[in-house]
């Protein structure tokens, strides 16, 4: 199967067995001594061994393996990773596993960059303007990817103090994003639907504002086109590696594009609150909220151009410029409905146990951390009710 490499601020590598080429990209980045961060599934399923074999034919040394990351990224994980990185004088981190393993590596990169020892050093989430060091970060999800792998975002948990440290900073940016189709062999159709619709949500965010840079829109445009062509095919024929690679490309493209734009102040924090409270899949929650959020957003001139990737070029000419935004909304809703017909996709917050009597509490939790005056509590309540 074809191996593909795309490069902007993040080097995106997608393909069947592409992990075998990891030594090549590390050599390009002048990386000589790496640390591997993984969770138990990545280690148990043999994916860490795949990295070891790939690096065994190169001069790159694996100085330390940290495989203790659990279901969530804890401050103690982050601090231990950063400590071992310094002790062994590493110059790169390979993070492989689910979202938590990659989040822990991102948190460690912040500590390394800031020359800090403890996550609690950033109680106000304030970072300096003068980084003292940095670490090359290679992110390898063991599924289709959550989209977070490419985003300069880290969420670290402190169980002792019952606190969550949230960072949105280039200090935890991913340098290389590797997506290997071999790691998606047992991905069920329901998960594929979730990844695809989440990728669509991130990609559409790149078209909402007129001032989004053209590179972000190019990535988003590619992602949207792939999703509309391959998502339902991949759901029906999830054993087809070509279809799975296409959806992996869409996830990578959308997250790379989303990493370049000003983040949405509503969907991401609200999705975090709900996924944490109900132990729900973040990507699924985000896709549910986006479906209703997009109906009410004030769409700008650029929004309608997303339609270009959703319909045949001959059909596109039929739509007058002033109707493109509404047609785009209709196409988005049509895709969601098609996915629901194909698979038992969790399309409502109630599927995760959210009840109407919970909405006030969720909205209040959001309000406490909200600094965007344009997002009112009533607006949050309306979206939550629409998503039940």
């Amino acid at each position: 199967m074809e191996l593909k490499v795309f490069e902007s601020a993040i080097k995106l590598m997608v393909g069947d067995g592409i992990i075998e080429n990891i030594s090549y990209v590390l050599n390009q980045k002048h990386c000589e001594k790496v640390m591997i961060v993984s969770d138990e599934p990545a280690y148990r399923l043999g994916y860490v061994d795949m990295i070891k074999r790939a690096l065994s034919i190169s001069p790159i040394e694996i100085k330390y393996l940290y495989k203790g990351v659990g279901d969530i990224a804890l401050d103690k994980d982050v601090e231990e990773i950063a400590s071992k990185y310094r002790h062994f004088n590493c110059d790169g981190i390979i993070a492989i596993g689910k979202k938590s393993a990659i989040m822990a590596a991102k948190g460690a990169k912040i500590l390394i960059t800031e020359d800090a020892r403890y996550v609690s050093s950033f109680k106000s989430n304030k970072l300096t303007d003068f980084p003292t060091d940095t670490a090359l970060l290679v992110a390898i999800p063991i599924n289709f990817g959550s989209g977070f792998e490419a985003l300069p975002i880290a969420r670290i948990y402190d169980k002792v103090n019952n606190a969550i440290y949230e960072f949105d900073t280039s200090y935890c940016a991913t340098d290389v994003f590797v997506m290997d189709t071999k790691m998606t062999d047992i991905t069920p159709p329901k998960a594929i639907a979730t990844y695809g619709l989440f990728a669509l949500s991130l990609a559409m965010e790149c078209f909402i504002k007129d001032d989004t840079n053209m590179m972000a829109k190019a990535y988003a445009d590619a992602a949207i086109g792939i999703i509309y062509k391959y998502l339902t095919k991949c759901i029906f024929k999830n054993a087809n590696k070509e279809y799975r690679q296409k959806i992996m490309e869409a996830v990578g493209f959308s997250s790379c594009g989303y990493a370049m734009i000003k983040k949405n102040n509503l969907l991401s924090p609200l999705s975090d609150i709900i996924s944490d409270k109900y132990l729900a899949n973040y990507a699924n929650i985000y896709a549910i909220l986006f479906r209703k959020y997009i109906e009410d957003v004030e769409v700008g001139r650029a929004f309608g151009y997303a339609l270009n990737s959703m319909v045949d070029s001959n059909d596109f000419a039929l739509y007058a410029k002033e109707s493109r935004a509404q047609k785009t909304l209709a196409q988005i809703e049509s895709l969601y409905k098609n996915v629901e017909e194909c698979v038992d996709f969790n399309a409502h917050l109630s599927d995760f146990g959210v009840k109407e009597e919970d909405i006030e509490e969720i909205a209040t939790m959001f309000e406490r951390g909200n600094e965007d005056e344009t997002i009112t509590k009533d607006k949050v309540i309306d979206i939550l009710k629409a998503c039940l």
Side-chain angles (χ1 to χ4, degrees):
M1 184 174 289
E2 185 180 9
L3 305 180
K4 298 182 180 180
V5 178
F6 308 90
E7 190 159 10
S8 56
I10 303 170
K11 182 184 284 289
L12 173 62
M13 304 172 65
V14 188
D16 191 52
I18 201 166
I19 197 172
E20 297 166 11
N21 296 294
I22 194 170
S23 61
Y24 172 74
V25 70
L26 290 175
N27 282 324
Q28 276 190 324
K29 301 288 187 179
H30 308 291
C31 188
E32 299 176 346
K33 294 176 287 186
V34 300
M35 176 180 181
I36 298 177
V37 174
S38 83
D39 51 20
E40 192 274 334
Y43 185 79
R44 174 172 46 83
L45 294 171
Y47 295 134
V48 171
D49 289 335
M50 289 173 61
I51 295 176
K52 289 180 177 180
R53 287 194 298 270
L55 297 183
S56 65
I57 58 173
S58 77
I60 299 168
E61 295 182 72
I62 299 174
K63 302 298 291 186
Y64 191 79
L65 167 62
Y66 185 89
K67 57 181 180 181
V69 183
D71 291 333
I72 56 177
L74 298 174
D75 56 341
K76 68 178 184 65
D77 295 318
V78 171
E79 291 160 5
E80 179 71 8
I81 293 166
S83 174
K84 295 297 184 184
Y85 182 94
R86 294 187 184 99
H87 177 75
F88 289 102
N89 196 27
C90 298
D91 53 15
I93 299 174
I94 300 174
I96 182 166
K98 296 186 293 185
K99 178 181 172 183
S100 57
I102 295 170
M103 280 287 184
K106 285 175 176 283
K109 184 173 179 178
I110 293 175
L111 294 189
I112 294 163
T113 302
E114 287 279 89
D115 193 24
R117 295 294 186 272
Y118 305 104
V119 176
S120 57
S121 303
F122 306 107
K123 288 184 177 178
S124 61
N125 296 343
K126 298 297 183 183
L127 305 175
T128 69
D129 294 325
F130 306 101
T132 59
D133 196 1
T134 188
L136 178 78
L137 176 59
V138 180
I140 310 175
I142 61 171
N143 45 38
F144 278 80
S146 65
F148 263 104
E149 294 83 3
L151 304 185
I153 294 173
R155 299 184 81 239
I156 310 302
Y157 295 76
D158 178 350
K159 277 191 172 181
V160 175
N161 297 308
N162 192 28
I164 299 175
Y165 299 92
E166 299 185 4
F167 303 95
D168 185 347
T169 169
S170 60
Y171 289 5
C172 65
T174 297
D175 300 287
V176 184
F177 185 8
V178 181
M179 308 181 77
D180 196 319
T181 318
K182 288 184 183 297
M183 299 184 184
T184 64
D185 287 344
I186 58 174
T187 306
K190 186 173 183 177
I192 293 171
T194 297
Y195 295 127
L197 291 178
F198 179 57
L200 174 70
S201 302
L202 296 186
M204 287 304 306
E205 292 267 16
C206 297
F207 280 95
I208 289 175
K209 296 184 176 67
D210 286 346
D211 60 353
T212 298
N213 71 59
M214 293 306 297
M215 180 61 76
K217 287 181 180 177
Y219 270 116
D221 189 59
I224 293 168
I226 291 170
I227 292 164
Y228 269 82
K229 186 174 182 179
Y230 289 100
L231 182 55
T232 54
K233 291 179 181 179
C234 191
I235 291 171
F236 277 121
K237 298 183 177 180
N238 60 320
N240 187 303
K241 285 187 177 181
E242 178 187 357
Y243 294 163
R244 296 205 310 273
Q245 177 166 322
K246 289 296 184 182
I247 300 304
M248 289 184 83
E249 288 177 15
V251 172
F253 288 154
S254 63
S255 53
C256 284
Y258 186 74
M260 301 178 195
I261 69 172
K262 185 177 180 181
K263 305 302 180 289
N264 187 301
N265 294 326
L266 172 61
L267 296 183
S268 183
L270 189 56
S271 299
D272 279 330
I273 291 169
I274 297 172
S275 60
D276 290 345
K277 182 176 174 60
Y278 296 91
L279 301 178
N281 182 292
Y282 173 91
N284 200 153
I285 297 297
Y286 195 105
I288 292 171
L289 295 175
F290 175 81
R291 184 180 188 178
K292 297 303 178 183
Y293 163 82
I294 199 66
E295 292 178 358
D296 298 324
V297 71
E298 291 185 14
V299 293
R301 176 176 53 84
F303 180 87
Y305 290 111
L307 182 65
N308 207 12
S309 300
M310 299 179 185
V311 298
D312 183 86
S313 56
N314 294 326
D315 294 334
F316 183 74
L318 299 175
Y319 305 120
K321 185 175 180 180
E322 58 271 15
S323 68
R324 287 178 186 169
Q326 290 305 314
K327 181 60 181 178
T328 302
L329 292 174
Q331 286 290 102
I332 293 171
E333 180 60 22
S334 176
L335 179 63
Y336 270 83
K337 288 181 178 178
N338 287 342
V339 169
E340 287 179 79
E341 291 175 0
C342 294
V343 68
D344 184 25
F345 172 71
N346 292 326
H348 306 281
L349 295 181
S350 56
D351 294 334
F352 294 98
V354 182
K355 300 179 177 61
E356 187 168 1
E357 54 265 33
D358 301 336
I359 288 179
E360 177 70 26
E361 180 187 357
I362 296 171
T364 300
M365 293 171 68
F366 176 88
E367 188 178 36
R368 289 183 191 137
N370 179 39
E371 297 180 355
D372 188 338
E373 295 180 357
T374 65
I375 303 176
T376 64
K377 183 178 178 180
D378 287 342
K379 181 177 182 178
V380 173
I381 289 174
D382 289 342
I383 289 177
L384 291 172
K385 286 182 176 179
C387 293
L388 278 179

